[in-house]
Amino acid sequence: MSIEAVIVGDEEVRAHFRRAAGEIDGKLADSMGRITIRLQAHVIRNKLSGQVLKVRTNNLRGSIHQEVIRDGSGIVGRVGTNVEYAAFHEYGFNGTQSVREHMRTIKMAFGKMLKEPKKIMVGAHARHIDYKRKSFLRTALQDQREEIMIALNEAVKEAMRRT
């Protein structure tokens, strides 16, 4: 015994899916752009304005950037920073760090205030660091995970309705 099936209009179905794929790609890219902008704002406002890390120089907070990358494998949204010490805070660090020789301005010596600040040379040395993990990127992503999933699903649904 065998069962045979004939698909009528298979070219139309394939054409529909090709159109849908382009529409889905565009909707997902647009949605990913909005998602990364919201995530970037969340990191700056709700993680780096004293909640997780205190603001000292505004360098880290000012470096948070977002981008959407489209390549052959898909659409990727990124929120991150290029500040070197950010990884110490995000993941924690326990180890030895090399410190280069540098100039330091001191205002106090042996517990007494100096009449005028003085510049001194600090020689190169190693120091032990124990930074506790204070995640601001991964926790921000986790905070918005459900909202992100809803937005991406809605983008696909919208694209399918339009084709």
Side-chain angles (χ1 to χ4, degrees):
M1 175 183 241
S2 67
I3 299 175
E4 284 187 36
V6 176
I7 298 175
V8 177
D10 66 324
E11 279 305 314
E12 290 84 7
V13 171
R14 287 185 187 139
H16 175 76
F17 280 112
R18 280 193 294 275
R19 284 191 308 275
E23 186 73 23
I24 290 170
D25 188 64
K27 288 289 184 187
L28 283 174
D30 292 346
S31 184
M32 189 63 75
R34 288 188 297 277
I35 287 166
T36 57
I37 290 168
R38 281 194 307 267
L39 185 57
Q40 176 189 27
H42 179 63
V43 169
I44 293 167
R45 271 197 315 265
N46 303 317
K47 299 293 181 176
L48 295 179
S49 296
Q51 302 86 337
V52 176
L53 293 174
K54 304 239 184 298
V55 179
R56 295 178 86 182
T57 64
N58 203 36
N59 190 40
L60 179 59
R61 191 168 57 171
S63 74
I64 302 300
H65 62 275
Q66 59 83 26
E67 64 181 335
V68 176
I69 300 165
R70 294 172 85 168
D71 62 17
S73 63
I75 301 165
V76 177
R78 289 188 184 151
V79 174
T81 177
N82 59 358
V83 172
E84 287 183 23
Y85 60 82
F88 283 166
H89 293 297
E90 183 68 27
Y91 299 104
F93 177 75
N94 187 339
T96 303
Q97 179 187 40
S98 297
V99 179
R100 296 184 302 227
E101 181 178 80
H102 62 279
M103 295 293 289
R104 174 179 288 160
T105 302
I106 60 171
K107 297 177 183 175
M108 184 181 287
F110 306 107
K112 295 184 180 184
M113 293 298 292
L114 299 173
K115 290 180 184 178
E116 292 183 24
K118 184 175 181 176
K119 291 193 180 282
I120 62 165
M121 180 62 73
V122 177
H125 61 281
R127 67 178 183 162
H128 181 78
I129 295 177
D130 187 10
Y131 279 133
K132 300 297 180 215
R133 178 177 52 229
K134 294 180 181 175
S135 174
F136 56 94
L137 291 171
R138 292 174 299 150
T139 57
L141 181 60
Q142 188 59 38
D143 293 348
Q144 295 198 340
R145 185 180 191 285
E146 187 174 331
E147 182 183 329
I148 290 168
M149 296 305 292
I150 289 169
L152 293 174
N153 282 327
E154 285 300 316
V156 172
K157 286 178 188 175
E158 175 67 22
M160 292 304 291
R161 281 193 294 266
R162 298 184 92 182
T163 58

